[in-house]
């Protein structure tokens, strides 16, 4: 895979199960169980993502089965029989060229576990999940160290090479910097490398 920043296209799942808006309730439940996923994109036309139906959407039927509680939207979902009636719309999506960090921020802000990946006109290209985003932490320590030396430290105004050691994703930097103001700059740049778990500094400065 390419050097940082990793994009959604580097980690997403390309083979995706999806449903049309007319898919019946029971079919949606069966697909979620069969594919062991928590949500499905809902498609219209040639594959444009118009919504997402999740386990939470489906549970409204059980939650409000024998009660008049809940707002109009809750009661509507409780009475829904198709994916189009159940789905949350518009769908929260992400583009394939978005960074992994951007996808993680969208998931956190919108409280979702999976994001349909779409192209410029909204056609489905794949799905990225929380577990997909964590793949960056499977990078080999040597690969991370090589990227830091080649892609980060060569861009820094250092007069002497810094040492880089990576163990289980934890980076230790050693050496001398020409200015103490560079310490947080170097640390921030190294921390931005995909797969870095933490940064420890053993740096001195003139």
């Amino acid at each position: 895979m390419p050097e940082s920043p990793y994009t959604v296209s580097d980690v997403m799942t390309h083979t995706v199960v999806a449903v049309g808006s007319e898919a019946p309730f029971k079919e949606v439940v069966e697909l979620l169980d069969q594919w062991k996923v928590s949500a499905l994109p809902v498609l219209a036309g040639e594959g444009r993502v118009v919504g997402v139906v999740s386990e939470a959407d489906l549970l409204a039927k059980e939650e409000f089965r024998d009660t008049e509680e809940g707002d109009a939207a809750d009661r509507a979902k409780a009475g829904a029989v198709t994916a189009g009636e159940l789905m949350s719309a518009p769908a929260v999506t992400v583009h394939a060229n978005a960074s992994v960090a951007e996808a993680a921020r969208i998931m956190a802000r919108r409280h979702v576990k999976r994001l349909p990946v779409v192209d410029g006109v909204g056609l489905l290209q794949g799905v990225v999940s929380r577990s997909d985003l964590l793949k960056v932490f499977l990078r080999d320590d040597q690969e991370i160290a090589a990227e830091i030396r080649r892609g980060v430290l060569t861009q820094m105004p250092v007069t002497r090479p810094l040492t880089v050691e990576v163990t289980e994703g934890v980076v230790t930097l050693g050496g001398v910097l020409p200015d103490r103001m560079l310490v947080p700059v170097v640390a921030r740049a190294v921390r931005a490398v995909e797969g870095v778990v933490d940064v420890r500094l053993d740096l001195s400065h003139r």
Side-chain angles (χ1 to χ4, degrees), residues 5-194:
Y6 278 32
T7 65
V8 168
S9 64
D10 295 322
V11 298
M12 73 182 190
T13 300
H14 293 268
T15 303
V16 184
V17 58
V19 293
S21 59
E22 297 303 314
F25 183 99
K26 190 169 182 179
E27 179 184 335
V28 175
V29 176
E30 289 171 344
L31 285 171
L32 289 174
D33 179 67
Q34 177 184 348
W35 290 87
K36 307 304 179 189
V37 294
S38 59
L40 298 172
V42 181
L43 307 182
E46 297 299 315
R48 182 170 53 87
V49 179
V50 294
V52 172
V53 60
S54 68
E55 292 170 332
D57 295 322
L58 296 163
L59 281 173
K61 186 171 290 293
E62 190 66 27
E63 182 179 357
F64 300 102
R65 178 187 296 277
D66 56 0
T67 179
E68 294 300 318
E69 296 180 0
D71 59 24
D74 292 329
R75 291 193 295 273
K77 287 196 177 184
V81 296
T82 66
E85 296 169 339
L86 287 159
M87 70 184 185
S88 298
V92 181
T93 62
V94 69
H95 292 292
N97 60 358
S99 69
V100 169
E102 182 180 349
R105 286 193 291 270
I106 294 172
M107 286 186 186
R109 286 198 304 264
R110 302 301 294 270
H111 305 288
V112 295
K113 298 177 182 178
R114 294 162 60 84
L115 292 171
V117 182
V118 298
D119 64 12
V121 294
L123 298 181
L124 184 66
Q125 293 187 304
V127 168
V128 65
S129 67
R130 289 175 176 176
S131 60
D132 290 329
L133 299 185
L134 291 174
K135 289 176 183 176
V136 296
F137 293 105
L138 298 177
R139 296 185 73 191
D140 183 82
D141 287 341
Q142 286 77 15
E143 181 184 350
I144 294 172
E147 180 175 338
I148 292 170
R149 295 188 186 100
R150 181 176 59 249
V152 177
L153 298 184
T154 56
Q155 307 301 316
M156 295 293 164
V158 295
T159 54
R160 302 179 186 177
L162 300 182
T163 61
V164 181
E165 295 182 7
V166 184
T167 304
E168 298 295 324
V170 177
V171 180
T172 301
L173 295 176
V176 179
L177 292 174
D179 188 333
R180 65 185 179 87
M181 299 296 290
L182 287 174
V183 174
V185 176
V186 172
R188 187 165 55 249
V190 170
R191 190 169 280 111
V193 172
E194 300 288 7

